[in-house]
Amino acid sequence: MKTSSTILGIVGAAAAGALLGVLFAPDKGSNTRKKIKDKSKDYGDNLKGKVDGVMSKLSASGHDIIEEGKAKFNQVKEEFNAAKDEAKNTVNTVKTNY
């Protein structure tokens, strides 16, 4: 999660810098408020896009891990059944010979 914290820190710092720049710019109050509103929306949309991208990657990774786990489970299950069958055959062979 360090990457997401870094991204959020950078986006937050950029938003704070933009806000301070707009606040200290010599402009009419209504224009300044409109600029703040517009920039906030832009940063919010940008952040939402980044979060959605991270969540999508995590979801895909999770799906891949689950599929790999299922494949490993099935492989172990098959190996266990083969070993169990071999043990039964060995027991039957021993019973037959004695």
Side-chain angles (χ1 to χ4, degrees):
M1 283 290 159
K2 288 184 179 185
T3 302
S4 62
S5 298
T6 303
I7 291 171
L8 288 175
I10 291 170
V11 169
L19 179 65
L20 288 173
V22 169
L23 285 175
F24 288 106
D27 204 354
K28 195 173 171 185
S30 60
N31 290 341
T32 301
R33 285 189 296 276
K34 183 176 181 339
K35 287 179 183 177
I36 290 172
K37 179 182 164 192
D38 292 344
K39 285 290 183 184
S40 297
K41 184 174 179 345
D42 290 344
Y43 284 121
D45 291 344
N46 187 11
L47 181 60
K48 183 181 182 311
K50 289 182 189 260
V51 169
D52 288 345
V54 169
M55 293 303 291
S56 175
K57 286 179 183 177
L58 288 175
S59 177
S61 295
H63 180 71
D64 292 346
I65 290 170
I66 289 171
E67 291 302 316
E68 185 178 334
K70 285 179 182 179
K72 291 285 185 187
F73 175 79
N74 288 332
Q75 178 185 357
V76 169
K77 183 178 171 184
E78 289 173 8
E79 290 172 2
F80 172 77
N81 286 333
K84 184 172 78 171
D85 291 342
E86 187 177 328
K88 281 182 184 179
N89 290 337
T90 303
V91 168
N92 287 337
T93 301
V94 169
K95 282 183 180 180
T96 305
N97 290 336
Y98 289 104

